[in-house]
Amino acid sequence: MEINRELTAHIAALSGIRLAEAELDQMTRDLRSVIGYMDTLEALDIASVAPMSHVQERVNYTREDAVRPSIPRGDVLVNAARKTDEYVVTPKTFG
Amino acid sequence: MSLYETVVGLEIHVELATESKVFCGCSTKFGGEPNTKVCPVCMGLPGSLPRLNEKAVEYALRAGLALNCEITRNAKFDRKHYFYPDLPKAYQISQLYLPLCVNGYVDITGKRVNIREIHMEEDAGKLVHDLWTDETLVDFNRCGVPLIEIVTQPDMRTADEVVETVRAIRAALAALGVSDVKMQEGSMRVDVNLSVREFGHEFGTRTEMKNINSLKSIARAVAGESKRQIELIETGKKITQETRRWDDNKDTSYAMRVKEDAHDYRYMPDPDLSPFLITEEQLTHIRRTQPELPEAKRLRYPKEYGLSAYDTDILISERTLCVLFEGAAEITRKPKDTANWIIGEVLSILKERGEPADELSLDKDKFARIITLVADGAINRAAGRRVLRALLDSDIDVDAYVKQNGLEAIGGASVVDDAVKKVVAANADSVAKFRSGSEKVFGFLMGQVMKELKGKGDPAALKKALEEALL
């Protein structure tokens, strides 16, 4: 995959991250090196290996359908930059 | 005839009726104080770990089997990334690569609508727009409520087919008890993917319409969006692939955002959730304990109860009606009468009051008692209707209500005969007309006798007495 400034800027925009010009260059270099390493892995012959999404062997780690107490609303809102007594407040957004 | 054909596929989000959320123990109850059913897991706080609710999996499997799907035995969850205020983790846990159920279908009149997949995912929070401050308020209570998303193939061609498909899916899910399936409250949300094409041509560019919250608005949205797209084509303009919001008040849709491509979501397997395997034993258990589905009732009602196909279809369209019918018919032992009372009386009262049938809760014993009283001639049908209205308003005692309001039918021969004599004497003209062959005055005379009895006569007894008097 070709990693260039445009792609980095696109991913930053999708993630809601603002990058300065210098950061954009640095991030592009970093991403290129990470994805480049993936290309090294691509060279391996893995035809006989089943796809694996997880390294741990545990499966079906489930729980019963039981309600447990939630946390106090004050704690929910504590990290919000702007809030009312009940809600987190954000700039105008349409649901 | 139009040159254009409408092509519709659906994405239906359904909230599963579990007590707790899909990856944490917060309550899923609708409504309540904002931001009080929230914890570090559904807020996506660092260090928290999700753990799958086994009931949510069971419900999703029940839905998949009922909609004739193949079940994926080694399912897993993926992260779908997007940045929006209602999604505190900035990704939604969903299933892209291995959806739990695939290749199902639902049959509607004259055609099969194929279901591409049903996958599990979590709901997002709710955004409330504050008109005073022109800001948006965020309530995270709905974050993490378990959902299934049912994705159909683009197999529907008319608004009627779309409505019928939604109805069939809703009826099946309601019968299973896996969801409230209330469109108004948002526990069932139908997104309509629609394109138009000239007959015989390739599929056109499609749009996705959201915010459609009743069966009626589905039909209107399909008609409205088809018309808009055809007008664009005919004036040589391009259709943009985008998400549109249906506005039921204005009867039109407007663009919300240009649709993101799948790769913009940067899907990846969720490393926090272990894969889950569906075993044969689990599936066997679920199959054995599946409630009877509307399709099975469609065959059973005519056979077992002697109902017409038409009546059967009305009853099986709502789970509440099936429950009431089967319960009351067992008591009255008069299934046809019982079906008539539900279809003819209960439904028309609900319609008149604008109350949805899916919220009907009528005590089957009391309802059956009304039917029996009328069938036995103890009260007449009009009185039965009055008791039914009272029962729909509040939890009355049927026999006490009949007594208190003096609704008992007057069937005693002497009382009826006296009334008939009185009416015959007072209406000599009409009697003469009847005797000279004008049969329509009979109804008038019946009415007079009924009036004499203050509306409480048993019509059958009354008719017989009047006929004898006029011979």
Side-chain angles (χ1 to χ4, degrees):
Chain A
M1 190 193 283
E2 160 76 13
I3 309 291
N4 52 31
R5 278 176 62 100
E6 286 69 46
L7 184 62
T8 307
H10 180 59
I11 293 170
L14 289 174
S15 312
I17 297 171
R18 211 173 292 142
L19 293 179
E21 284 297 305
E23 289 173 313
L24 200 53
D25 286 327
Q26 181 59 46
M27 191 63 78
T28 304
R29 276 196 298 275
D30 288 351
L31 274 178
R32 197 175 285 148
S33 126
V34 172
I35 303 294
Y37 181 66
M38 298 298 151
D39 288 340
T40 311
L41 292 179
E42 292 269 7
L44 294 171
D45 178 10
I46 51 166
S48 61
V49 184
M52 183 179 75
S53 59
H54 293 75
V55 286
Q56 79 273 28
E57 303 208 334
R58 188 163 195 179
V59 294
N60 293 15
Y61 187 61
T62 56
R63 42 174 271 274
E64 267 181 47
D65 180 26
V67 174
R68 298 220 310 223
S70 299
I71 61 174
R73 181 154 64 192
D75 291 351
V76 175
L77 302 178
V78 71
N79 294 317
R82 296 186 52 219
K83 61 199 160 196
T84 68
D85 290 343
E86 301 174 305
Y87 293 97
V88 172
V89 179
T90 72
K92 188 171 169 180
T93 315
F94 285 103
Chain B
M1 191 185 148
S2 168
L3 281 170
Y4 298 95
E5 178 179 49
T6 301
V7 177
V8 178
L10 298 173
E11 291 172 16
I12 306 177
H13 287 89
V14 179
E15 283 183 358
L16 299 176
T18 54
E19 297 292 324
S20 65
K21 293 184 178 180
V22 58
F23 299 118
C24 65
C26 291
S27 165
T28 56
K29 227 179 220 119
F30 180 75
E33 284 286 298
N35 293 308
T36 56
K37 293 157 192 162
V38 177
C39 76
V41 173
C42 53
M43 286 289 285
L45 297 184
S48 64
L49 277 175
R51 190 164 169 185
L52 179 60
N53 182 340
E54 60 190 21
K55 195 85 185 172
V57 178
E58 181 199 318
Y59 282 175
L61 289 172
R62 287 195 185 282
L65 290 175
L67 297 173
N68 310 293
C69 291
E70 296 160 20
I71 304 299
T72 304
R73 298 312 175 88
N74 53 337
K76 66 183 181 70
F77 286 103
D78 307 300
R79 293 182 176 181
K80 176 184 182 177
H81 297 86
Y82 62 93
F83 202 69
Y84 215 62
D86 62 7
L87 191 72
K89 295 201 295 293
Y91 62 85
Q92 177 193 32
I93 302 177
S94 180
Q95 297 186 298
L96 175 74
Y97 300 107
L98 294 168
L100 187 60
C101 318
V102 293
N103 298 333
Y105 63 85
V106 56
D107 286 328
I108 60 171
T109 313
K111 101 181 302 179
R112 173 160 289 180
V113 173
N114 291 289
I115 290 169
R116 194 181 78 199
E117 67 175 62
I118 303 176
H119 61 256
M120 296 182 69
E121 58 186 31
E122 56 178 341
D123 211 343
K126 234 178 200 160
L127 300 180
V128 187
H129 193 62
D130 187 331
L131 291 169
W132 279 108
T133 59
D134 208 27
E135 286 171 325
T136 298
L137 307 175
V138 193
D139 175 7
F140 294 120
N141 282 349
R142 207 177 58 183
C143 281
V145 168
L147 292 178
I148 48 173
E149 178 174 348
I150 303 170
V151 185
T152 77
Q153 297 288 3
D155 287 347
M156 288 146 279
R157 296 290 177 269
T158 65
D160 283 347
E161 286 181 4
V162 176
V163 170
E164 210 187 321
T165 303
V166 174
R167 256 185 212 288
I169 290 173
R170 192 178 65 160
L173 298 177
L176 294 171
V178 300
S179 172
D180 296 344
V181 284
K182 284 184 187 157
M183 292 186 71
Q184 297 286 353
E185 285 183 12
S187 58
M188 178 167 179
R189 305 193 285 272
V190 179
D191 298 343
V192 172
N193 289 309
L194 186 149
S195 62
V196 298
R197 61 171 169 186
E198 283 185 53
F199 277 98
H201 284 61
E202 297 277 294
F203 286 146
T205 303
R206 69 166 199 267
T207 60
E208 178 182 347
M209 265 183 304
K210 290 184 174 292
N211 193 42
I212 306 175
N213 51 21
S214 72
L215 286 170
K216 231 180 245 163
S217 35
I218 290 178
R220 288 167 50 187
V222 168
E225 180 62 8
S226 299
K227 188 162 160 268
R228 190 189 71 87
Q229 292 190 12
I230 291 169
E231 277 167 9
L232 284 176
I233 294 172
E234 296 207 317
T235 51
K237 292 184 185 127
K238 263 189 79 174
I239 294 161
T240 316
Q241 182 174 340
E242 63 193 356
T243 304
R244 303 180 66 83
R245 187 183 170 88
W246 175 251
D247 187 332
D248 213 31
N249 296 321
K250 297 190 185 126
D251 215 14
T252 185
S253 64
Y254 57 89
M256 283 168 76
R257 57 172 185 262
V258 173
K259 187 105 180 120
E260 289 183 62
D261 288 331
H263 64 255
D264 279 348
Y265 288 128
R266 292 151 291 143
Y267 278 99
M268 59 178 253
D270 192 311
D272 286 346
L273 285 156
S274 65
F276 59 107
L277 308 179
I278 307 299
T279 62
E280 200 53 52
E281 296 78 65
Q282 196 178 356
L283 282 180
T284 308
H285 170 74
I286 289 175
R287 278 202 194 94
R288 236 197 344 250
T289 52
Q290 280 287 74
E292 187 185 32
L293 291 170
E295 278 314 302
K297 292 188 196 294
R298 191 193 301 278
L299 299 175
R300 183 166 70 86
Y301 281 10
K303 220 161 58 188
E304 186 177 329
Y305 299 117
L307 299 189
S308 68
Y310 179 80
D311 288 353
T312 299
D313 277 351
I314 294 176
L315 292 177
I316 66 174
S317 69
E318 289 296 346
R319 188 188 64 88
T320 51
L321 301 183
C322 294
V323 171
L324 180 63
F325 168 71
E326 290 176 27
E330 199 185 326
I331 302 166
T332 61
R333 300 266 152 216
K334 292 186 172 63
K336 275 189 184 168
D337 253 12
T338 307
N340 287 340
W341 271 92
I342 293 175
I343 294 163
E345 309 296 349
V346 176
L347 286 182
S348 56
I349 295 172
L350 292 182
K351 195 170 171 196
E352 171 193 310
R353 295 179 174 184
E355 290 172 10
D358 62 354
E359 282 167 28
L360 173 71
S361 80
L362 200 52
D363 183 299
K364 68 176 175 11
D365 296 285
K366 294 181 176 181
F367 179 60
R369 181 70 186 148
I370 299 174
I371 298 169
T372 304
L373 287 175
V374 174
D376 292 349
I379 60 177
N380 66 26
R381 200 168 174 94
R385 253 182 238 130
R386 196 174 142 189
V387 184
L388 177 60
R389 274 174 194 278
L391 183 58
L392 281 164
D393 288 335
S394 61
D395 188 34
I396 53 160
D397 177 317
V398 171
D399 287 280
Y401 186 89
V402 167
K403 220 170 246 149
Q404 276 157 21
N405 292 277
L407 297 175
E408 300 95 335
I410 298 172
S414 65
V415 187
V416 175
D417 284 345
D418 283 353
V420 167
K421 261 182 215 149
K422 215 163 156 187
V423 168
V424 168
N427 294 280
D429 282 3
S430 302
V431 172
K433 269 190 205 155
F434 178 79
R435 289 188 170 139
S436 61
S438 168
E439 286 185 16
K440 53 176 200 244
V441 292
F442 188 79
F444 166 76
L445 292 167
M446 273 281 285
Q448 293 303 304
V449 180
M450 192 57 110
K451 205 166 148 194
E452 200 58 45
L453 294 170
K454 302 197 168 36
K456 293 185 282 185
D458 170 14
L462 200 150
K463 182 163 178 269
K464 196 164 155 247
L466 184 61
E467 276 168 353
E468 279 166 9
L470 292 175
L471 271 180

